[in-house]
Amino acid sequence: MKPVNLFRVSRIQDERLFNIMEKHEASDHDNHRIRIHEIDSLRILADALAGHRITVKDTDGFYFGYVIPLIGKEFDLLKVTGKYCLNIELKSQDVGEGQILAQLRKNRHYLTLLGRELMLYTVVTDTLECYRLSDEGELEPTDIGEIAKAVRKCRAAYHGRIDKLFRASEYLISPEENPEKFLQGQYFLSPAQDYVKAELLRDIADTSGCAFFHIYGRPCTGKTLLIYDLAKHLADSGRTLITCGEEPSGGLLSISESIENLDFISVSDIAAPEQISGYAFILVDETLRIDPEIFNIIKDAAETYGQTCIFSTDPSAVLTDPEQENDIGGRIRSLGLTGEYELSERQRMNMEIQTFIHKLKHLKSKTEKTYEFEHISVNYANNTAEAHDIIRYFRDKGYVFINPHRQSEDPFADLEESFRYRHIAGREYNSVVMLMDSSFSYDGEGYLMGIPKPDPGNPYPNIFYSGITRVREHLALVILDAPELLDNILSILD
């Protein structure tokens, strides 16, 4: 998105024509549509500013309806200079000071990382009541004259593409990787996460005794962060346990030490219902991958001791034949759930990378939007030694190497650290490098296929996708001695 002139675009009062002009001016080709009440509010603000000697030139450089990629956080109006960041939120009618304050505080959190002096305002356009967020984070009444002065301060505005000012990785935290930020509450949930959290906590409050709840969603919808956020909240009401796929990391242990009543345990260490009898709340992330015996122990504990149990699943995470046979998803739904909630917003992965993965899975797939794939790197190695060198090159640049192969004598084992496909469940990384070889091929319809090697129950594509969907910003593929595969993948970039 590029900035627009607030006064010029606000002169058009027809909704259809406004949207045509705004998209042209902003070079904004997303599918969101500006509604008539938003157009009216924009015109009222522009007229009010003109009444305080704000010229047409002064209203240059405003980003209108900008949404931070991956996050989904939207701002009505933003104007950025080398020193200042001006944010004006528009309300067509009064929504209450509490809601205005909460929004401006949230805006401050996101905009602070720009490193500018912040000027944060809300205008209720049907009455022209104005509010500002003070340096102390409190809501104060103001007037359109003060906002006009703020606009004048921002004459030398940034006119580039605003995405370059925001790095989603600064906002998307992993509790395990960023325990300090998690403990300090330096994160925000998406609207979908907030909604599910509110619904689930309300339903928990309305129940007593044993109760089972289920949160589900595809990769990158934020299930793991929501589970940890819920656990932090529930720990205020009683002892809370989160199960982990492996032994709790140092980051998780630091969270447990800092939050009273919150513990972590590896699912493999759960041997009997009595072992977890002292908890009021049990939260199980990546539930589809646990053993049926352990699932039954958790279920029996909840039923015996009257516990609240929250399962989190990703329907696409059933990667192996044994996991399909276990049918943990079916077992969850047979419990007589008190509540079930879907996270449907896939906001935590770059849309460019999502599109590339979509086309990687099916070369002939159609997409609504075209990309230059500037965050994708495709590399070729003629032999294992070359692949080793290229992977190490990306590792030195901060990429995480996720290895789907797991052969008994794996020549890349020394590079992968502990990033096995089970270990990475629920985790995300800014930059990922992955290996593909002749185990992969495309069929006549353009679908990516993979031979079941080395374990027939663990087909490569399933394990490969579990890793490739962990990436936020940059993806590198290393194609090892598979020229036909390279040809097909490069056709995506052509």
Short mmCIF file of all heavy atoms in Angstrom, two decimals, residues 36-85:
data_model
loop_
_atom_site.label_atom_id
_atom_site.label_comp_id
_atom_site.label_asym_id
_atom_site.label_seq_id
_atom_site.Cartn_x
_atom_site.Cartn_y
_atom_site.Cartn_z
N ILE A 36 -19.66 2.89 2.95
CA ILE A 36 -20.12 4.27 2.83
C ILE A 36 -19.96 5.05 4.11
O ILE A 36 -19.61 6.24 4.10
CB ILE A 36 -21.60 4.33 2.34
CG1 ILE A 36 -21.98 5.75 1.98
CG2 ILE A 36 -22.53 3.70 3.35
CD1 ILE A 36 -21.21 6.33 0.82
N HIS A 37 -20.16 4.41 5.29
CA HIS A 37 -20.02 5.15 6.55
C HIS A 37 -18.56 5.54 6.80
O HIS A 37 -18.27 6.57 7.40
CB HIS A 37 -20.60 4.35 7.73
CG HIS A 37 -19.76 3.17 8.14
ND1 HIS A 37 -19.88 1.94 7.53
CD2 HIS A 37 -18.80 3.04 9.09
CE1 HIS A 37 -19.03 1.09 8.10
NE2 HIS A 37 -18.36 1.73 9.03
N GLU A 38 -17.62 4.70 6.31
CA GLU A 38 -16.20 5.04 6.44
C GLU A 38 -15.84 6.20 5.52
O GLU A 38 -15.05 7.08 5.89
CB GLU A 38 -15.34 3.82 6.11
CG GLU A 38 -15.58 2.63 7.04
CD GLU A 38 -14.88 1.38 6.54
OE1 GLU A 38 -15.19 0.91 5.44
OE2 GLU A 38 -14.00 0.86 7.28
N ILE A 39 -16.43 6.20 4.34
CA ILE A 39 -16.20 7.29 3.39
C ILE A 39 -16.75 8.60 3.95
O ILE A 39 -16.10 9.65 3.88
CB ILE A 39 -16.86 6.96 2.04
CG1 ILE A 39 -16.21 5.69 1.45
CG2 ILE A 39 -16.74 8.14 1.07
CD1 ILE A 39 -16.94 5.14 0.24
N ASP A 40 -17.93 8.54 4.54
CA ASP A 40 -18.53 9.74 5.14
C ASP A 40 -17.65 10.27 6.27
O ASP A 40 -17.44 11.49 6.39
CB ASP A 40 -19.92 9.42 5.67
CG ASP A 40 -20.94 9.19 4.54
OD1 ASP A 40 -20.66 9.61 3.40
OD2 ASP A 40 -22.00 8.58 4.82
N SER A 41 -17.15 9.36 7.12
CA SER A 41 -16.30 9.79 8.24
C SER A 41 -15.03 10.45 7.73
O SER A 41 -14.56 11.46 8.29
CB SER A 41 -15.95 8.59 9.13
OG SER A 41 -17.08 8.13 9.84
N LEU A 42 -14.46 9.91 6.68
CA LEU A 42 -13.24 10.48 6.11
C LEU A 42 -13.50 11.89 5.58
O LEU A 42 -12.69 12.80 5.80
CB LEU A 42 -12.73 9.57 5.00
CG LEU A 42 -11.32 9.87 4.47
CD1 LEU A 42 -10.28 9.55 5.54
CD2 LEU A 42 -11.04 9.06 3.21
N ARG A 43 -14.63 12.08 4.90
CA ARG A 43 -14.96 13.40 4.34
C ARG A 43 -15.20 14.41 5.46
O ARG A 43 -14.74 15.56 5.38
CB ARG A 43 -16.20 13.31 3.46
CG ARG A 43 -16.53 14.62 2.73
CD ARG A 43 -17.80 14.53 1.91
NE ARG A 43 -18.99 14.46 2.74
CZ ARG A 43 -19.68 13.34 2.98
NH1 ARG A 43 -19.30 12.19 2.44
NH2 ARG A 43 -20.75 13.35 3.75
N ILE A 44 -15.90 14.00 6.52
CA ILE A 44 -16.17 14.91 7.65
C ILE A 44 -14.86 15.36 8.28
O ILE A 44 -14.67 16.53 8.61
CB ILE A 44 -17.09 14.23 8.68
CG1 ILE A 44 -18.49 14.04 8.08
CG2 ILE A 44 -17.16 15.04 9.96
CD1 ILE A 44 -19.39 13.15 8.92
N LEU A 45 -13.93 14.41 8.47
CA LEU A 45 -12.63 14.76 9.06
C LEU A 45 -11.88 15.74 8.16
O LEU A 45 -11.33 16.74 8.63
CB LEU A 45 -11.79 13.50 9.28
CG LEU A 45 -10.35 13.76 9.75
CD1 LEU A 45 -10.32 14.38 11.14
CD2 LEU A 45 -9.52 12.48 9.71
N ALA A 46 -11.83 15.44 6.85
CA ALA A 46 -11.12 16.31 5.91
C ALA A 46 -11.70 17.72 5.91
O ALA A 46 -10.96 18.72 5.89
CB ALA A 46 -11.15 15.71 4.51
N ASP A 47 -13.03 17.83 5.94
CA ASP A 47 -13.68 19.14 5.97
C ASP A 47 -13.35 19.88 7.26
O ASP A 47 -13.11 21.10 7.25
CB ASP A 47 -15.19 18.98 5.83
CG ASP A 47 -15.62 18.52 4.43
OD1 ASP A 47 -14.78 18.61 3.51
OD2 ASP A 47 -16.77 18.08 4.27
N ALA A 48 -13.36 19.16 8.38
CA ALA A 48 -13.06 19.79 9.67
C ALA A 48 -11.62 20.30 9.71
O ALA A 48 -11.34 21.40 10.22
CB ALA A 48 -13.31 18.80 10.81
N LEU A 49 -10.69 19.52 9.16
CA LEU A 49 -9.30 19.96 9.11
C LEU A 49 -9.14 21.18 8.20
O LEU A 49 -8.39 22.11 8.51
CB LEU A 49 -8.41 18.82 8.62
CG LEU A 49 -8.23 17.64 9.59
CD1 LEU A 49 -7.47 16.51 8.92
CD2 LEU A 49 -7.52 18.07 10.87
N ALA A 50 -9.87 21.18 7.08
CA ALA A 50 -9.82 22.34 6.18
C ALA A 50 -10.30 23.60 6.88
O ALA A 50 -9.81 24.71 6.61
CB ALA A 50 -10.66 22.07 4.94
N GLY A 51 -11.24 23.44 7.81
CA GLY A 51 -11.72 24.58 8.58
C GLY A 51 -10.69 25.13 9.54
O GLY A 51 -10.88 26.21 10.11
N HIS A 52 -9.60 24.40 9.76
CA HIS A 52 -8.49 24.86 10.60
C HIS A 52 -7.23 25.10 9.76
O HIS A 52 -6.11 24.86 10.19
CB HIS A 52 -8.22 23.85 11.71
CG HIS A 52 -9.24 23.88 12.82
ND1 HIS A 52 -10.49 23.34 12.68
CD2 HIS A 52 -9.19 24.42 14.08
CE1 HIS A 52 -11.17 23.52 13.81
NE2 HIS A 52 -10.40 24.18 14.66
N ARG A 53 -7.47 25.56 8.52
CA ARG A 53 -6.41 25.99 7.62
C ARG A 53 -5.42 24.87 7.23
O ARG A 53 -4.25 25.13 6.98
CB ARG A 53 -5.65 27.19 8.20
CG ARG A 53 -6.54 28.41 8.45
CD ARG A 53 -5.72 29.66 8.69
NE ARG A 53 -4.80 29.53 9.79
CZ ARG A 53 -5.13 29.68 11.07
NH1 ARG A 53 -6.37 30.00 11.41
NH2 ARG A 53 -4.22 29.56 12.01
N ILE A 54 -5.92 23.63 7.22
CA ILE A 54 -5.12 22.54 6.67
C ILE A 54 -5.34 22.51 5.16
O ILE A 54 -6.47 22.39 4.70
CB ILE A 54 -5.52 21.20 7.31
CG1 ILE A 54 -5.12 21.17 8.78
CG2 ILE A 54 -4.89 20.02 6.57
CD1 ILE A 54 -3.63 21.27 9.04
N THR A 55 -4.26 22.64 4.40
CA THR A 55 -4.36 22.71 2.95
C THR A 55 -4.43 21.31 2.35
O THR A 55 -4.17 20.30 3.02
CB THR A 55 -3.15 23.44 2.37
OG1 THR A 55 -1.97 22.63 2.59
CG2 THR A 55 -2.96 24.80 3.03
N VAL A 56 -4.74 21.26 1.06
CA VAL A 56 -4.76 19.98 0.35
C VAL A 56 -3.38 19.32 0.43
O VAL A 56 -3.25 18.12 0.65
CB VAL A 56 -5.20 20.17 -1.11
CG1 VAL A 56 -5.11 18.86 -1.88
CG2 VAL A 56 -6.60 20.75 -1.18
N LYS A 57 -2.34 20.13 0.27
CA LYS A 57 -0.97 19.59 0.34
C LYS A 57 -0.67 18.97 1.71
O LYS A 57 0.02 17.96 1.81
CB LYS A 57 0.04 20.69 0.02
CG LYS A 57 1.48 20.21 -0.03
CD LYS A 57 2.43 21.34 -0.42
CE LYS A 57 3.86 20.82 -0.47
NZ LYS A 57 4.82 21.90 -0.83
N ASP A 58 -1.20 19.59 2.78
CA ASP A 58 -0.97 19.07 4.13
C ASP A 58 -1.54 17.67 4.31
O ASP A 58 -1.09 16.92 5.19
CB ASP A 58 -1.61 19.99 5.18
CG ASP A 58 -0.90 21.34 5.31
OD1 ASP A 58 0.30 21.39 5.00
OD2 ASP A 58 -1.57 22.32 5.70
N THR A 59 -2.56 17.32 3.51
CA THR A 59 -3.22 16.01 3.68
C THR A 59 -2.61 14.94 2.80
O THR A 59 -3.15 13.84 2.68
CB THR A 59 -4.73 16.11 3.42
OG1 THR A 59 -4.95 16.48 2.04
CG2 THR A 59 -5.38 17.12 4.33
N ASP A 60 -1.46 15.22 2.21
CA ASP A 60 -0.71 14.18 1.49
C ASP A 60 -0.15 13.17 2.49
O ASP A 60 0.06 13.47 3.67
CB ASP A 60 0.47 14.81 0.74
CG ASP A 60 0.18 14.98 -0.74
OD1 ASP A 60 -0.80 14.38 -1.23
OD2 ASP A 60 0.93 15.73 -1.40
N GLY A 61 0.15 11.96 2.00
CA GLY A 61 0.95 11.00 2.77
C GLY A 61 0.21 10.20 3.81
O GLY A 61 0.84 9.64 4.71
N PHE A 62 -1.12 10.08 3.72
CA PHE A 62 -1.88 9.29 4.69
C PHE A 62 -2.11 7.88 4.15
O PHE A 62 -2.57 7.70 3.02
CB PHE A 62 -3.25 9.93 4.98
CG PHE A 62 -3.22 11.00 6.03
CD1 PHE A 62 -3.08 12.33 5.67
CD2 PHE A 62 -3.33 10.69 7.37
CE1 PHE A 62 -3.05 13.33 6.62
CE2 PHE A 62 -3.30 11.67 8.35
CZ PHE A 62 -3.17 13.01 7.98
N TYR A 63 -1.78 6.90 4.96
CA TYR A 63 -2.14 5.51 4.65
C TYR A 63 -3.52 5.25 5.24
O TYR A 63 -3.75 5.44 6.43
CB TYR A 63 -1.11 4.54 5.24
CG TYR A 63 0.27 4.74 4.66
CD1 TYR A 63 1.17 5.61 5.26
CD2 TYR A 63 0.65 4.07 3.51
CE1 TYR A 63 2.43 5.81 4.71
CE2 TYR A 63 1.92 4.26 2.96
CZ TYR A 63 2.79 5.13 3.57
OH TYR A 63 4.04 5.33 3.03
N PHE A 64 -4.43 4.79 4.40
CA PHE A 64 -5.83 4.66 4.78
C PHE A 64 -6.21 3.18 4.84
O PHE A 64 -6.11 2.45 3.86
CB PHE A 64 -6.70 5.39 3.75
CG PHE A 64 -8.18 5.32 4.02
CD1 PHE A 64 -8.68 5.48 5.30
CD2 PHE A 64 -9.08 5.12 2.99
CE1 PHE A 64 -10.04 5.43 5.56
CE2 PHE A 64 -10.45 5.06 3.22
CZ PHE A 64 -10.92 5.22 4.51
N GLY A 65 -6.62 2.73 6.03
CA GLY A 65 -7.03 1.34 6.21
C GLY A 65 -5.89 0.35 6.11
O GLY A 65 -6.08 -0.78 5.63
N TYR A 66 -4.70 0.74 6.58
CA TYR A 66 -3.55 -0.15 6.49
C TYR A 66 -3.66 -1.31 7.49
O TYR A 66 -4.04 -1.12 8.65
CB TYR A 66 -2.25 0.61 6.75
CG TYR A 66 -1.04 -0.30 6.78
CD1 TYR A 66 -0.63 -0.95 5.63
CD2 TYR A 66 -0.35 -0.53 7.96
CE1 TYR A 66 0.46 -1.81 5.65
CE2 TYR A 66 0.74 -1.37 8.00
CZ TYR A 66 1.14 -2.01 6.83
OH TYR A 66 2.22 -2.87 6.86
N VAL A 67 -3.33 -2.52 7.04
CA VAL A 67 -3.33 -3.72 7.87
C VAL A 67 -1.93 -4.31 7.89
O VAL A 67 -1.34 -4.58 6.84
CB VAL A 67 -4.33 -4.77 7.33
CG1 VAL A 67 -4.31 -6.03 8.20
CG2 VAL A 67 -5.74 -4.20 7.27
N ILE A 68 -1.37 -4.51 9.09
CA ILE A 68 -0.04 -5.11 9.21
C ILE A 68 -0.09 -6.54 8.69
O ILE A 68 -0.91 -7.33 9.14
CB ILE A 68 0.46 -5.10 10.66
CG1 ILE A 68 0.52 -3.68 11.22
CG2 ILE A 68 1.84 -5.75 10.75
CD1 ILE A 68 0.95 -3.62 12.67
N PRO A 69 0.78 -6.91 7.75
CA PRO A 69 0.78 -8.29 7.24
C PRO A 69 0.98 -9.31 8.36
O PRO A 69 1.73 -9.07 9.31
CB PRO A 69 1.97 -8.30 6.27
CG PRO A 69 2.17 -6.88 5.90
CD PRO A 69 1.80 -6.07 7.10
N LEU A 70 0.31 -10.44 8.23
CA LEU A 70 0.36 -11.57 9.16
C LEU A 70 -0.39 -11.31 10.46
O LEU A 70 -0.89 -12.23 11.10
CB LEU A 70 1.79 -11.97 9.54
CG LEU A 70 2.81 -12.15 8.44
CD1 LEU A 70 4.07 -12.79 9.02
CD2 LEU A 70 2.30 -12.93 7.29
N ILE A 71 -0.47 -10.05 10.88
CA ILE A 71 -1.04 -9.73 12.18
C ILE A 71 -2.54 -9.49 12.08
O ILE A 71 -3.32 -9.91 12.93
CB ILE A 71 -0.38 -8.47 12.78
CG1 ILE A 71 1.14 -8.61 12.78
CG2 ILE A 71 -0.89 -8.20 14.18
CD1 ILE A 71 1.66 -9.68 13.66
N GLY A 72 -2.95 -8.77 11.04
CA GLY A 72 -4.35 -8.41 10.92
C GLY A 72 -4.72 -7.15 11.67
O GLY A 72 -5.89 -6.80 11.76
N LYS A 73 -3.71 -6.43 12.22
CA LYS A 73 -3.99 -5.20 12.95
C LYS A 73 -4.19 -4.06 11.96
O LYS A 73 -3.32 -3.79 11.13
CB LYS A 73 -2.83 -4.86 13.90
CG LYS A 73 -3.01 -3.54 14.63
CD LYS A 73 -4.14 -3.63 15.64
CE LYS A 73 -4.37 -2.28 16.33
NZ LYS A 73 -5.43 -1.50 15.70
N GLU A 74 -5.34 -3.38 12.05
CA GLU A 74 -5.69 -2.34 11.09
C GLU A 74 -5.67 -0.96 11.74
O GLU A 74 -6.02 -0.80 12.91
CB GLU A 74 -7.08 -2.60 10.50
CG GLU A 74 -7.49 -1.59 9.45
CD GLU A 74 -8.81 -1.93 8.78
OE1 GLU A 74 -9.43 -2.95 9.17
OE2 GLU A 74 -9.22 -1.19 7.86
N PHE A 75 -5.25 0.03 10.96
CA PHE A 75 -5.27 1.42 11.38
C PHE A 75 -6.10 2.21 10.37
O PHE A 75 -5.93 2.04 9.16
CB PHE A 75 -3.85 2.00 11.43
CG PHE A 75 -2.90 1.23 12.32
CD1 PHE A 75 -2.12 0.20 11.80
CD2 PHE A 75 -2.79 1.53 13.66
CE1 PHE A 75 -1.25 -0.50 12.60
CE2 PHE A 75 -1.92 0.83 14.48
CZ PHE A 75 -1.16 -0.19 13.94
N ASP A 76 -6.95 3.10 10.85
CA ASP A 76 -7.76 3.91 9.93
C ASP A 76 -6.87 4.86 9.13
O ASP A 76 -6.89 4.86 7.90
CB ASP A 76 -8.82 4.70 10.69
CG ASP A 76 -9.95 3.82 11.19
OD1 ASP A 76 -10.06 2.67 10.72
OD2 ASP A 76 -10.72 4.27 12.06
N LEU A 77 -6.10 5.68 9.83
CA LEU A 77 -5.23 6.65 9.16
C LEU A 77 -3.86 6.67 9.84
O LEU A 77 -3.77 6.79 11.06
CB LEU A 77 -5.84 8.05 9.20
CG LEU A 77 -7.08 8.29 8.34
CD1 LEU A 77 -7.75 9.62 8.72
CD2 LEU A 77 -6.73 8.28 6.85
N LEU A 78 -2.81 6.57 9.03
CA LEU A 78 -1.44 6.67 9.52
C LEU A 78 -0.67 7.64 8.65
O LEU A 78 -0.82 7.65 7.42
CB LEU A 78 -0.73 5.31 9.45
CG LEU A 78 -1.00 4.27 10.52
CD1 LEU A 78 -0.17 3.02 10.22
CD2 LEU A 78 -0.67 4.79 11.91
N LYS A 79 0.16 8.46 9.29
CA LYS A 79 1.08 9.32 8.57
C LYS A 79 2.42 9.28 9.30
O LYS A 79 2.47 9.49 10.52
CB LYS A 79 0.55 10.75 8.48
CG LYS A 79 1.32 11.64 7.49
CD LYS A 79 0.61 12.98 7.28
CE LYS A 79 1.30 13.79 6.19
NZ LYS A 79 0.64 15.10 5.96
N VAL A 80 3.50 9.00 8.57
CA VAL A 80 4.80 8.75 9.18
C VAL A 80 5.83 9.69 8.59
O VAL A 80 5.91 9.86 7.37
CB VAL A 80 5.24 7.28 8.96
CG1 VAL A 80 6.57 7.02 9.67
CG2 VAL A 80 4.17 6.32 9.46
N THR A 81 6.61 10.32 9.47
CA THR A 81 7.76 11.12 9.04
C THR A 81 9.01 10.56 9.70
O THR A 81 8.96 9.56 10.41
CB THR A 81 7.60 12.60 9.43
OG1 THR A 81 7.80 12.73 10.85
CG2 THR A 81 6.22 13.12 9.06
N GLY A 82 10.14 11.20 9.46
CA GLY A 82 11.35 10.75 10.11
C GLY A 82 11.30 10.87 11.62
O GLY A 82 11.98 10.14 12.33
N LYS A 83 10.46 11.78 12.15
CA LYS A 83 10.38 12.01 13.60
C LYS A 83 9.06 11.56 14.21
O LYS A 83 9.03 11.10 15.35
CB LYS A 83 10.58 13.50 13.88
CG LYS A 83 10.58 13.86 15.36
CD LYS A 83 10.86 15.35 15.59
CE LYS A 83 10.87 15.69 17.08
NZ LYS A 83 11.13 17.13 17.31
N TYR A 84 7.95 11.70 13.46
CA TYR A 84 6.63 11.48 14.05
C TYR A 84 5.89 10.32 13.38
O TYR A 84 6.15 9.97 12.22
CB TYR A 84 5.76 12.74 13.89
CG TYR A 84 6.30 13.97 14.57
CD1 TYR A 84 6.85 15.01 13.80
CD2 TYR A 84 6.26 14.11 15.96
CE1 TYR A 84 7.34 16.15 14.41
CE2 TYR A 84 6.75 15.25 16.56
CZ TYR A 84 7.29 16.27 15.79
OH TYR A 84 7.78 17.40 16.39
N CYS A 85 4.94 9.78 14.14
CA CYS A 85 3.94 8.87 13.58
C CYS A 85 2.58 9.35 14.09
O CYS A 85 2.33 9.34 15.30
CB CYS A 85 4.18 7.43 14.00
SG CYS A 85 2.88 6.30 13.46
#
